[in-house]
Amino acid sequence: MNKQLELDYSFGYVFDKSKLIVMYPVGSNIINEDEYEMEVEVAFLEDGIEKAFEESDIKEANEIIKPLEMFLMKPSKVIPFVTNIKDASTKEELPKLIEEFDKEYKIKESFIKKGYEVKDVYHVFENVVNYIPKENLDTLNILKIESDKFDMESFIKTTKKNLDEAIDESLIPIKMIKSSLTDRLFIKSDDKDTSAKYIVFATDMSSYSQGILCANKKIIDDLDIDMGDLDISKSIDIGYLVEDVDGILTFKIANFNSHTENNNQVAQIVDYSGIFKTMMIEFVNEFLK
Protein backbone atom coordinates (compact mmCIF):
# COMPACT_ATOMS: atom_id res chain seq x y z
CA MET A 1 0.00 0.00 0.00
CA ASN A 2 1.33 3.42 -0.95
CA LYS A 3 2.31 5.75 1.85
CA GLN A 4 -0.15 8.60 2.29
CA LEU A 5 0.37 12.15 3.50
CA GLU A 6 -2.05 14.17 5.58
CA LEU A 7 -1.95 17.93 5.00
CA ASP A 8 -3.51 20.17 7.67
CA TYR A 9 -4.95 23.51 6.54
CA SER A 10 -5.68 26.70 8.46
CA PHE A 11 -6.98 30.15 7.64
CA GLY A 12 -4.66 32.89 8.82
CA TYR A 13 -6.55 36.03 9.88
CA VAL A 14 -4.20 39.02 9.65
CA PHE A 15 -4.71 41.73 12.29
CA ASP A 16 -2.32 44.48 11.27
CA LYS A 17 -2.67 46.75 14.30
CA SER A 18 -1.72 43.87 16.59
CA LYS A 19 0.88 42.47 14.17
CA LEU A 20 -0.83 39.14 14.59
CA ILE A 21 -1.90 36.23 12.40
CA VAL A 22 -4.60 34.12 14.04
CA MET A 23 -4.65 30.55 12.74
CA TYR A 24 -7.99 28.76 12.55
CA PRO A 25 -7.84 25.05 11.51
CA VAL A 26 -10.16 24.19 8.62
CA GLY A 27 -9.50 20.52 8.01
CA SER A 28 -7.12 18.10 6.36
CA ASN A 29 -6.56 16.38 3.04
CA ILE A 30 -5.03 12.94 2.49
CA ILE A 31 -3.10 12.20 -0.69
CA ASN A 32 -0.76 9.47 -1.87
CA GLU A 33 2.87 10.37 -1.30
CA ASP A 34 3.76 9.65 -4.92
CA GLU A 35 1.04 12.09 -6.04
CA TYR A 36 2.19 14.90 -3.74
CA GLU A 37 3.58 17.89 -5.63
CA MET A 38 4.55 20.82 -3.48
CA GLU A 39 4.24 23.32 -6.34
CA VAL A 40 0.67 22.20 -7.01
CA GLU A 41 -0.28 22.61 -3.34
CA VAL A 42 1.30 26.06 -3.23
CA ALA A 43 -0.62 27.10 -6.34
CA PHE A 44 -3.80 25.77 -4.70
CA LEU A 45 -3.31 28.10 -1.71
CA GLU A 46 -2.31 31.04 -3.87
CA ASP A 47 -5.75 30.89 -5.48
CA GLY A 48 -7.09 32.27 -2.17
CA ILE A 49 -9.64 30.89 0.25
CA GLU A 50 -12.67 31.64 -1.93
CA LYS A 51 -11.43 29.41 -4.74
CA ALA A 52 -9.58 26.83 -2.68
CA PHE A 53 -12.13 26.08 0.07
CA GLU A 54 -15.83 25.42 0.51
CA GLU A 55 -18.05 28.40 1.24
CA SER A 56 -19.45 26.65 4.32
CA ASP A 57 -15.93 26.23 5.77
CA ILE A 58 -15.18 29.91 5.19
CA LYS A 59 -18.45 31.00 6.78
CA GLU A 60 -17.89 28.80 9.84
CA ALA A 61 -14.35 30.11 10.34
CA ASN A 62 -15.47 33.73 9.98
CA GLU A 63 -18.17 33.22 12.61
CA ILE A 64 -15.65 31.77 15.07
CA ILE A 65 -13.23 34.66 14.52
CA LYS A 66 -15.91 37.37 14.67
CA PRO A 67 -15.77 37.99 18.46
CA LEU A 68 -12.07 38.85 18.21
CA GLU A 69 -12.96 41.79 15.98
CA MET A 70 -14.49 43.50 18.99
CA PHE A 71 -10.97 43.91 20.40
CA LEU A 72 -8.64 43.63 17.40
CA MET A 73 -10.80 45.22 14.66
CA LYS A 74 -11.46 43.53 11.34
CA PRO A 75 -8.66 41.44 9.84
CA SER A 76 -7.08 43.08 6.82
CA LYS A 77 -6.96 39.78 4.94
CA VAL A 78 -7.43 36.04 5.32
CA ILE A 79 -4.69 33.77 3.99
CA PRO A 80 -4.80 29.97 3.67
CA PHE A 81 -1.87 27.98 5.06
CA VAL A 82 -0.66 24.41 5.28
CA THR A 83 0.23 24.14 8.96
CA ASN A 84 1.43 20.55 9.12
CA ILE A 85 2.27 17.55 6.96
CA LYS A 86 2.08 14.11 8.57
CA ASP A 87 2.19 10.44 7.77
CA ALA A 88 -1.52 9.74 7.37
CA SER A 89 -1.22 6.31 8.98
CA THR A 90 1.08 6.92 11.95
CA LYS A 91 0.34 10.67 12.38
CA GLU A 92 4.09 11.23 12.59
CA GLU A 93 4.91 14.81 11.68
CA LEU A 94 7.23 15.32 8.72
CA PRO A 95 9.06 18.56 9.55
CA LYS A 96 11.28 18.47 6.48
CA LEU A 97 8.26 18.55 4.16
CA ILE A 98 6.58 21.44 5.97
CA GLU A 99 9.90 23.32 6.07
CA GLU A 100 10.25 22.90 2.31
CA PHE A 101 6.63 23.93 1.85
CA ASP A 102 7.01 27.13 3.90
CA LYS A 103 10.17 27.97 1.97
CA GLU A 104 8.24 27.77 -1.30
CA TYR A 105 5.05 29.40 0.05
CA LYS A 106 6.80 32.48 1.38
CA ILE A 107 3.85 34.34 2.88
CA LYS A 108 4.27 33.24 6.50
CA GLU A 109 8.00 33.97 6.48
CA SER A 110 7.32 37.39 4.97
CA PHE A 111 4.94 38.35 7.79
CA ILE A 112 7.27 37.00 10.49
CA LYS A 113 10.09 39.15 9.11
CA LYS A 114 7.79 42.16 9.49
CA GLY A 115 7.36 41.37 13.18
CA TYR A 116 4.04 39.51 13.07
CA GLU A 117 3.29 36.72 15.52
CA VAL A 118 1.52 33.57 14.34
CA LYS A 119 -0.79 32.18 17.01
CA ASP A 120 -3.48 29.52 17.32
CA VAL A 121 -7.02 30.89 17.55
CA TYR A 122 -7.71 29.28 20.92
CA HIS A 123 -4.56 30.79 22.41
CA VAL A 124 -5.63 34.24 21.19
CA PHE A 125 -9.12 33.89 22.65
CA GLU A 126 -7.62 32.99 26.03
CA ASN A 127 -5.07 35.80 25.92
CA VAL A 128 -6.81 38.45 23.82
CA VAL A 129 -5.90 41.24 26.26
CA ASN A 130 -2.24 40.73 25.33
CA TYR A 131 -2.98 41.47 21.68
CA ILE A 132 -5.14 44.57 21.98
CA PRO A 133 -3.19 47.32 20.20
CA LYS A 134 -2.16 50.48 22.03
CA GLU A 135 -3.54 53.40 20.04
CA ASN A 136 -4.05 57.14 20.12
CA LEU A 137 -7.68 57.42 19.09
CA ASP A 138 -7.63 61.22 18.93
CA THR A 139 -6.73 60.80 15.26
CA LEU A 140 -10.16 59.22 14.71
CA ASN A 141 -12.13 62.27 15.79
CA ILE A 142 -14.14 63.46 12.81
CA LEU A 143 -14.99 66.67 14.67
CA LYS A 144 -14.08 68.50 17.88
CA ILE A 145 -16.54 71.21 18.92
CA GLU A 146 -16.84 73.41 21.99
CA SER A 147 -19.97 72.19 23.76
CA ASP A 148 -21.45 75.69 24.13
CA LYS A 149 -21.20 76.15 20.36
CA PHE A 150 -23.19 73.04 19.50
CA ASP A 151 -26.96 72.55 19.79
CA MET A 152 -26.99 69.01 21.15
CA GLU A 153 -30.68 69.16 22.02
CA SER A 154 -31.71 69.96 18.44
CA PHE A 155 -29.23 67.42 17.08
CA ILE A 156 -30.82 64.63 19.12
CA LYS A 157 -34.37 65.84 18.49
CA THR A 158 -33.83 65.93 14.71
CA THR A 159 -32.19 62.50 14.73
CA LYS A 160 -35.16 61.04 16.58
CA LYS A 161 -37.62 62.64 14.15
CA ASN A 162 -35.79 61.56 11.00
CA LEU A 163 -35.34 57.97 12.17
CA ASP A 164 -38.69 57.50 13.89
CA GLU A 165 -39.86 54.93 11.32
CA ALA A 166 -37.00 52.63 12.21
CA ILE A 167 -35.82 53.33 15.78
CA ASP A 168 -37.60 53.84 19.09
CA GLU A 169 -36.80 57.39 20.17
CA SER A 170 -36.00 56.16 23.69
CA LEU A 171 -32.86 54.59 22.18
CA ILE A 172 -31.52 57.97 21.07
CA PRO A 173 -29.09 58.70 22.64
CA ILE A 174 -27.63 55.74 24.55
CA LYS A 175 -25.35 56.40 27.51
CA MET A 176 -22.02 54.61 27.20
CA ILE A 177 -18.98 53.88 29.35
CA LYS A 178 -15.50 53.09 28.03
CA SER A 179 -14.32 49.49 28.30
CA SER A 180 -11.43 48.84 30.66
CA LEU A 181 -9.83 46.64 27.99
CA THR A 182 -9.67 48.93 24.99
CA ASP A 183 -10.38 52.59 24.26
CA ARG A 184 -12.18 51.56 21.06
CA LEU A 185 -14.99 49.83 22.89
CA PHE A 186 -17.85 51.44 24.81
CA ILE A 187 -20.55 49.56 26.70
CA LYS A 188 -24.12 50.68 27.37
CA SER A 189 -24.35 52.15 30.85
CA ASP A 190 -27.12 53.02 33.29
CA ASP A 191 -24.89 55.71 34.79
CA LYS A 192 -26.54 59.04 34.00
CA ASP A 193 -23.33 60.92 34.75
CA THR A 194 -21.21 59.27 32.09
CA SER A 195 -19.65 61.72 29.63
CA ALA A 196 -20.03 59.45 26.60
CA LYS A 197 -23.07 58.74 24.48
CA TYR A 198 -23.89 56.89 21.27
CA ILE A 199 -26.16 58.63 18.78
CA VAL A 200 -27.31 56.61 15.80
CA PHE A 201 -26.95 57.98 12.27
CA ALA A 202 -27.81 55.07 9.95
CA THR A 203 -29.88 51.95 10.47
CA ASP A 204 -31.00 48.91 8.52
CA MET A 205 -34.55 49.12 7.12
CA SER A 206 -34.94 45.46 6.16
CA SER A 207 -37.65 44.78 8.75
CA TYR A 208 -40.10 46.91 6.77
CA SER A 209 -38.38 48.14 3.60
CA GLN A 210 -35.11 48.02 1.66
CA GLY A 211 -31.91 49.93 2.22
CA ILE A 212 -30.28 52.05 4.92
CA LEU A 213 -32.12 54.97 6.52
CA CYS A 214 -29.91 57.88 7.60
CA ALA A 215 -30.53 60.70 10.08
CA ASN A 216 -30.05 63.26 7.29
CA LYS A 217 -33.17 61.73 5.65
CA LYS A 218 -31.20 60.01 2.92
CA ILE A 219 -32.00 56.41 2.02
CA ILE A 220 -29.16 54.31 0.67
CA ASP A 221 -30.44 51.60 -1.67
CA ASP A 222 -27.09 50.34 -2.94
CA LEU A 223 -25.83 47.92 -0.30
CA ASP A 224 -22.56 47.44 -2.21
CA ILE A 225 -21.40 50.95 -1.32
CA ASP A 226 -18.04 51.58 0.33
CA MET A 227 -18.79 51.20 4.05
CA GLY A 228 -15.15 50.85 5.07
CA ASP A 229 -14.83 49.07 8.42
CA LEU A 230 -18.52 49.51 9.21
CA ASP A 231 -21.19 46.82 9.31
CA ILE A 232 -24.95 47.15 9.25
CA SER A 233 -27.65 44.59 10.01
CA LYS A 234 -30.82 44.17 12.07
CA SER A 235 -28.76 44.29 15.27
CA ILE A 236 -25.89 46.56 14.15
CA ASP A 237 -26.21 50.20 13.17
CA ILE A 238 -23.89 53.14 12.50
CA GLY A 239 -23.54 56.30 14.51
CA TYR A 240 -21.49 58.75 16.54
CA LEU A 241 -19.57 58.04 19.72
CA VAL A 242 -19.68 61.45 21.41
CA GLU A 243 -17.59 62.33 24.45
CA ASP A 244 -17.64 65.55 26.44
CA VAL A 245 -14.14 66.20 27.78
CA ASP A 246 -13.65 69.49 29.63
CA GLY A 247 -16.29 71.25 27.56
CA ILE A 248 -15.07 69.87 24.23
CA LEU A 249 -17.29 67.47 22.30
CA THR A 250 -15.45 64.84 20.28
CA PHE A 251 -17.24 62.89 17.56
CA LYS A 252 -16.01 59.51 16.34
CA ILE A 253 -17.74 57.05 14.01
CA ALA A 254 -18.76 53.73 15.51
CA ASN A 255 -20.74 50.58 14.98
CA PHE A 256 -23.32 49.84 17.66
CA ASN A 257 -24.23 46.22 18.31
CA SER A 258 -27.46 45.90 20.27
CA HIS A 259 -27.07 42.18 20.85
CA THR A 260 -23.60 40.70 21.31
CA GLU A 261 -23.03 37.04 22.13
CA ASN A 262 -22.72 37.86 25.84
CA ASN A 263 -25.86 40.06 25.70
CA ASN A 264 -24.02 43.36 26.02
CA GLN A 265 -24.78 46.43 23.95
CA VAL A 266 -21.54 47.91 22.67
CA ALA A 267 -20.21 50.62 20.39
CA GLN A 268 -16.92 50.07 18.59
CA ILE A 269 -14.99 52.98 17.08
CA VAL A 270 -13.81 52.31 13.52
CA ASP A 271 -10.92 53.63 11.45
CA TYR A 272 -12.45 53.96 8.02
CA SER A 273 -16.12 54.64 7.37
CA GLY A 274 -16.34 54.88 3.58
CA ILE A 275 -19.05 57.17 2.23
CA PHE A 276 -20.54 57.76 5.68
CA LYS A 277 -17.80 60.05 7.00
CA THR A 278 -18.66 63.04 4.81
CA MET A 279 -22.41 62.65 5.38
CA MET A 280 -21.97 62.38 9.13
CA ILE A 281 -19.72 65.44 9.34
CA GLU A 282 -22.14 67.52 7.27
CA PHE A 283 -25.07 66.46 9.45
CA VAL A 284 -23.31 67.46 12.68
CA ASN A 285 -22.31 70.81 11.20
CA GLU A 286 -25.98 71.69 10.70
CA PHE A 287 -26.28 72.12 14.47
CA LEU A 288 -23.39 74.49 15.10
CA LYS A 289 -24.48 77.65 16.88
Side-chain angles (χ1 to χ4, degrees):
M1 182 177 177
N2 290 335
K3 181 178 178 180
Q4 292 184 309
L5 302 178
E6 182 175 339
L7 280 68
D8 295 335
Y9 299 96
S10 288
F11 293 163
Y13 289 79
V14 182
F15 294 93
D16 289 322
K17 289 183 180 295
S18 302
K19 287 212 161 184
L20 177 68
I21 299 178
V22 179
M23 292 292 215
Y24 179 78
V26 290
S28 303
N29 185 36
I30 295 176
I31 60 175
N32 291 329
E33 184 178 36
D34 57 7
E35 295 176 356
Y36 171 70
E37 295 182 47
M38 180 178 61
E39 293 80 4
V40 173
E41 290 296 325
V42 168
F44 169 74
L45 296 188
E46 288 177 341
D47 283 341
I49 64 170
E50 287 81 8
K51 291 184 178 179
F53 293 87
E54 295 290 334
E55 183 179 351
S56 58
D57 292 334
I58 297 171
K59 185 176 180 180
E60 178 183 332
N62 289 345
E63 288 298 317
I64 295 294
I65 290 291
K66 191 73 175 175
L68 289 179
E69 296 180 11
M70 189 177 296
F71 303 101
L72 309 182
M73 299 301 293
K74 287 184 178 181
S76 61
K77 56 181 71 71
V78 185
I79 303 168
F81 290 95
V82 168
T83 52
N84 206 352
I85 302 176
K86 299 174 287 192
D87 183 309
S89 177
T90 66
K91 304 303 179 184
E92 177 188 358
E93 295 184 358
L94 304 171
K96 185 177 180 181
L97 287 183
I98 193 64
E99 182 181 335
E100 291 174 349
F101 191 96
D102 285 342
K103 190 174 181 180
E104 181 71 19
Y105 187 59
K106 300 176 182 178
I107 295 178
K108 185 192 293 185
E109 182 182 351
S110 172
F111 275 102
I112 291 173
K113 284 182 177 179
K114 294 175 184 176
Y116 283 71
E117 293 184 79
V118 180
K119 296 293 183 181
D120 173 81
V121 62
Y122 304 107
H123 167 84
V124 176
F125 268 110
E126 291 175 1
N127 301 277
V128 68
V129 173
N130 297 335
Y131 298 103
I132 295 173
K134 302 293 187 290
E135 302 177 274
N136 176 11
L137 296 189
D138 286 345
T139 59
L140 298 181
N141 290 326
I142 59 169
L143 287 167
K144 294 177 74 173
I145 304 170
E146 294 178 38
S147 57
D148 60 358
K149 294 181 180 179
F150 184 73
D151 191 345
M152 180 64 76
E153 184 178 347
S154 294
F155 176 56
I156 292 173
K157 183 178 179 180
T158 302
T159 299
K160 289 180 177 181
K161 179 182 177 182
N162 292 350
L163 295 177
D164 67 347
E165 290 184 53
I167 296 181
D168 186 331
E169 68 171 29
S170 67
L171 300 177
I172 307 172
I174 296 174
K175 292 286 188 178
M176 309 296 291
I177 188 169
K178 187 181 293 184
S179 166
S180 60
L181 297 177
T182 169
D183 290 347
R184 278 187 181 268
L185 202 63
F186 286 72
I187 303 167
K188 182 181 178 183
S189 173
D190 294 326
D191 183 359
K192 294 182 179 179
D193 295 326
T194 179
S195 63
K197 59 174 71 75
Y198 172 79
I199 302 170
V200 62
F201 175 79
T203 189
D204 177 60
M205 298 168 58
S206 63
S207 60
Y208 65 94
S209 185
Q210 293 293 320
I212 300 170
L213 178 63
C214 300
N216 60 0
K217 293 187 176 181
K218 290 185 179 179
I219 295 176
I220 299 172
D221 297 315
D222 180 8
L223 300 184
D224 292 325
I225 54 166
D226 177 13
M227 294 179 61
D229 299 325
L230 293 165
D231 289 319
I232 198 157
S233 69
K234 289 182 179 179
S235 62
I236 299 175
D237 53 40
I238 297 165
Y240 306 92
L241 197 292
V242 184
E243 293 180 271
D244 188 338
V245 181
D246 298 327
I248 302 295
L249 298 174
T250 62
F251 293 76
K252 297 179 179 72
I253 296 177
N255 259 144
F256 181 80
N257 189 337
S258 61
H259 187 68
T260 64
E261 289 187 357
N262 56 2
N263 293 319
N264 280 326
Q265 297 185 47
V266 301
Q268 182 186 42
I269 297 166
V270 302
D271 288 334
Y272 175 55
S273 48
I275 69 162
F276 285 95
K277 182 176 180 179
T278 299
M279 286 196 295
M280 293 174 75
I281 290 173
E282 290 175 348
F283 186 60
V284 169
N285 283 338
E286 292 179 19
F287 301 93
L288 295 176
K289 293 180 180 178

